Amino acid sequence: MEFTGSIKGVNQNYLTKKFEAVFEINEEKRLAGGYGELKDAGLLDISIKKHRKRRSLNANAYFHVLVGRLADCLCISKVRCKNMMVGRYGQPFRLDNGAEAVIKTNIPASQMLENETVHCMPCGSRTEDGGEYVYYKIFRGSSTYDTKEMSILVSGVVSECQEQGIETMPPAELERMLQAWKQAGGNKK
C-alpha cells in the first residue's frame, strides 16, 4: 500500500531501543481496508520519501505527439527519436550512491538507439581484446518524471521541433501549461 501524509513524530522505545515513527495518513479509508492483512505480517518493507507531484498525462501525450512529428521530419524511427530526446533533455538513472548509471556493451549505437526498453545515449567507446565496446549513459523513462522534469523534457522537444519548422503549441498556451505544472508543485524537488 502507498499513501501520502506527513510524519508527526519519532520516538525511541525505552525497552527495545528501536525507533517508532508516527504518521498522519491522508488516505484513511485505504489504510483501514488494508490494515487487517498487514497487521500480523511481521516484517514489512517500508519506504518514506518526499512527495513529488507526478507529471501530467497530457504532458506525456504531448511529448509523444511531438516526438512522432520530429521523427517523421528527420526520417528516423519514433523509438530512436524518443531515445535521442530523452538523452538530451531527460533525467539520468541514478544508482543508490547517486552516481549516474553507465553500461558497457558491444551493442552498436545504431542498434541500441532503436531499443524501446532501455533509454540510453552513447558516451564513449573503447577497443578491448579486439572488440569494440560502447559506453552508454542510462536515462529514466518519462513515466517516472515529476512535473518539473517533464516540463524540461517537453520544452527541449518543443525547441527541437521549432528548429525543424514543426508546428507546436502556441507559446502562450505552452507557457500556461508549464505554469500550471509549476503551480501544482512540479517545480519543487
Side-chain angles (χ1 to χ4, degrees):
M1 290 187 293
E2 284 191 28
F3 305 100
T4 61
S6 57
I7 191 163
K8 292 299 175 184
V10 176
N11 302 304
Q12 187 174 21
N13 184 303
Y14 178 76
L15 297 174
T16 66
K17 303 293 187 217
K18 292 188 177 185
F19 286 93
E20 299 170 346
V22 177
F23 296 93
E24 183 176 277
I25 305 294
N26 293 330
E27 299 82 9
E28 58 274 348
K29 289 181 183 176
R30 196 158 28 117
L31 174 63
Y35 175 74
E37 72 179 73
L38 293 178
K39 69 177 182 170
D40 298 321
L43 189 62
L44 299 172
D45 291 327
I46 300 171
S47 175
I48 303 169
K49 58 188 173 195
K50 186 176 178 181
H51 177 72
R52 296 186 340 175
K53 182 84 174 167
R54 293 288 175 186
R55 55 71 173 132
S56 161
L57 290 178
N58 290 337
N60 197 40
Y62 188 53
F63 165 68
H64 283 93
V65 166
L66 291 178
V67 164
R69 290 178 185 169
L70 188 58
D72 291 343
C73 179
L74 299 174
C75 299
I76 60 175
S77 73
K78 288 176 178 59
V79 172
R80 177 180 288 268
C81 189
K82 181 178 178 181
N83 281 327
M84 289 169 53
M85 295 301 103
V86 169
R88 289 180 189 157
Y89 306 107
Q91 300 300 311
F93 182 87
R94 295 198 178 272
L95 303 174
D96 289 341
N97 66 5
E100 295 179 357
V102 175
I103 61 170
K104 176 178 91 170
T105 180
N106 61 349
I107 301 172
S110 60
Q111 186 175 346
M112 197 68 151
L113 289 174
E114 296 293 341
N115 189 327
E116 293 186 73
T117 57
V118 177
H119 302 298
C120 60
M121 288 296 287
C123 60
S125 64
R126 179 184 296 180
T127 302
E128 291 180 22
D129 301 324
E132 183 72 19
Y133 290 90
V134 183
Y135 292 84
Y136 295 95
K137 181 176 173 181
I138 307 298
F139 292 85
R140 293 177 16 230
S142 63
S143 65
T144 68
Y145 291 9
D146 63 23
T147 51
K148 179 181 180 183
E149 294 166 338
M150 195 64 183
S151 67
I152 293 168
L153 180 63
V154 169
S155 295
V157 177
V158 164
S159 168
E160 299 257 348
C161 286
Q162 290 172 342
E163 288 176 14
Q164 297 297 323
I166 298 169
E167 185 176 336
T168 61
M169 191 179 285
E173 190 175 337
L174 180 61
E175 184 60 32
R176 274 193 304 275
M177 185 170 66
L178 295 176
Q179 287 303 317
W181 293 338
K182 289 178 182 177
Q183 290 171 357
N187 62 339
K188 298 174 185 166
K189 279 237 168 196

